[in-house]
Amino acid sequence: MCGIVGYVGTRKATDVCVAGLKRLEYRGYDSAGIAVVEDGKLEVVKVVGKLRNLSEALEETPLEGTLGIGHTRWATHGKPSKINSHPHVSNDGRIALVHNGIIENYAELRDELKQEGFEFVSETDTEVIVHLVARYYEGDLAAAFRRAARDLEGAFAVGIVSADHPGQMVAARRFSPLVVGIGAGENFIASDMGAVREWTDQVYVIEDDEMAVITRDGIELTDFEGKPVHHEPYTIPWPAEAAQKGGHKHFMHKEIHEQPRAMRECLLGRLTDAEKSITLEGLNMTEEEIKRLRKVVFTACGTAFHAGLVGRFLMEKLARIPAECDLAAELRARDPVVLEDTLAIVVSQSGETADTLVALRELKEKGASVVSVVNVVDSSIARESDGVVYIQAGPEIGVASTKAYTLQILTIALIAAHFADVRGAASEHELIELRRAMLSLPEQAQTLLDREDEVKAVAARYYDSHNSLYLGRGVNLPSAMEGALKLKEISYVHAEGYSAGEMKHGPIALVERSLFTVAIAVKGDVYDKMIGNIQEIKARSGPVIGVAFDGDTEIPRQADDVLWVPPCPELLTPITVAIPLQILAYHIADMLGREIDQPRNLAKTVTVE
Ligand code: F6R
């Protein structure tokens, strides 16, 4: 996830682009850059790190041009560095391009272009696009991009300028977001409307395989064949102040809502067709190594630990490999025995959590090979691992982890399904069904978000309770633990995540009218037992919120309220179940007036043991 902006008009392009990028910094802050057309030449400034570094660089090297494109980067291919920063420029220095997305066939394209004599300077997937445009350029920038688009597989939103066209910008999209801001005597492009809200409340929301040729006074919208398309301008309904959070009240809310898109990006290039095997670049394990595995050990902290607990389940059920999951902070204390051919899977959003890093080193020292499941590219945990599969969630700013959690589970599910495939642990039919279900997850996530008001109404009935219990079994025991963690950390309401089967061994004594229970009772192996547990709570006058599959007729009879989730294979339900529980926690905390993005006593990245 990166942010792009562009400007053509009468103001200094750098002023507009930097201000727009500031509103997009939530999309990435590994590096930033800008290209401006000035006196028939392209001027490019790039920096590593946050945007203030770009502002400082531009103070030293002011650019006066009134046509420009800018980028703030969240590294996916290639580490954060100046050379990998956008804009990328054609070999003759005449065309510059910014990109958000992932080009899946970049390796083939790069080989092809290199053979034709194009020189590559970066490790990015993006650089192939600018060389492709240059390859097809015969004086018409839009025509060159149209031709290039035919060669590209994957996701992109791009902004392109050329020194030959000092008053024109080309922008295009496939899967990655793009809007064109409509001004008077000036126009804009951006990854989201928040970036242009300061100057206009009118935008065109560009759709897949559409592009725009933009000048000061005109915006021409076409498809990739050059056929005109028509969009009504959309009026941004919120004020400029709300821009950075894209109109959401909190980053946490925004990040919850980013899940469908983030899931799609996580699957890109890895799982494209249910009939085809999964490919995981970065895993760095041969088929032989995968077949030899005798054990998988997950380790992580907090929310990432809950994803690891789901991972343990997936690894055993799908790939039939014995698996454990350890809290990173506890792992060293028990001096774990590491067998030969053990794989440690280390899960971390930030890639910098001290406890997790220490656990990684311990396992490595004892002979385990390490694959990390990480969000932040080139973080310490990623660097110290033998292989890394990035979750590709984009920056997570809210302290409470939401999209990183569902994407950690999705990424681990990809790894487990891949292992099952290589080891022959599941039938072809089972694997196809599972992969098909994974491909449906983004759409199911969207359905769950569309039901936010129903969950909010449930939150309104329980927000003034002081105690709660979250119950689950099997693969959804971690869901109960994560649901409880979300509620307690942002609302400060006491919440306990517990195995429903363990209730009768003690905690059931807590049940009374003022303690509400969230019971995860989606259809699957443990469904009947969960119904029994709900009845035990109801018999003791405890109110119950059930989490059930759409169409279930039993749970509404047993529970006081129901959070509905669309049906999917039981092994993937921790991903869907997480979403209404995040929304429930969010609205309870909001109704209590809590500081949702920065709860008391917490930090986003915990770099002390
Ligand atoms: C809770 C939360 C934390 C983190 C934990 C590990 O919402 O975000 O529990 O999951 O501190 O952090 P990472 O994943 O960065 O290692």
Side-chain angles (χ1 to χ4, degrees), residues 332-385:
R332 205 159 43 154
R334 76 183 169 86
D335 191 12
V337 177
V338 175
L339 301 174
E340 220 179 301
D341 296 318
T342 292
L343 172 69
I345 300 190
V346 176
V347 191
S348 174
Q349 188 284 129
S350 62
E352 300 296 346
T353 301
D355 285 322
T356 313
L357 193 56
V358 168
L360 179 159
R361 288 176 183 157
E362 175 83 13
L363 288 164
K364 218 173 161 180
E365 211 178 283
K366 289 193 143 106
S369 49
V370 178
V371 165
S372 55
V373 171
V374 167
N375 194 26
V376 179
V377 171
D378 217 35
S379 51
S380 305
I381 290 174
R383 277 201 308 269
E384 295 196 22
S385 303

Side-chain angles (χ1 to χ4, degrees), residues 3-7 11-26 32-36 45-47 50-59 61-63 65 68-72 188-189 194-196 198-199 244:
I4 67 169
V5 294
Y7 175 74
R11 307 173 207 236
K12 255 171 86 171
T14 52
D15 289 350
V16 179
C17 288
V18 170
L21 288 174
K22 276 196 186 127
R23 307 249 151 67
L24 294 176
E25 206 168 17
Y26 75 86
I34 204 157
V36 166
V45 175
K46 301 184 189 191
V47 296
K50 297 203 171 190
L51 275 169
R52 61 169 174 273
N53 302 353
L54 183 63
S55 303
E56 280 167 22
L58 286 167
E59 269 167 36
T61 323
L63 303 175
I69 49 176
H71 189 269
T72 180
F188 313 80
I189 60 163
V196 299
E198 185 177 337
W199 306 284
Q244 201 192 6

Side-chain angles (χ1 to χ4, degrees), residues 72 104 125 175 207 225 263 281 286 292 316 322 329 350 364 389-390 404 408 445 549 572 602:
T72 180
E104 292 176 282
D125 53 334
F175 303 136
E207 290 179 8
E225 302 301 318
M263 286 178 190
E281 202 192 328
T286 63
R292 267 208 313 271
E316 295 207 321
S350 62
K364 218 173 161 180
V389 187
Y390 289 113
Q408 282 159 352
F549 275 161
L572 298 179
L602 289 175

Side-chain angles (χ1 to χ4, degrees), residues 46 53 113 120 192 233 259 268 293 304 332 408 552 585-586:
K46 301 184 189 191
N53 302 353
L113 287 159
F120 282 73
D192 74 31
Q259 288 176 107
L268 261 183
L293 283 178
R332 205 159 43 154
Q408 282 159 352
D552 190 311
Y586 172 82

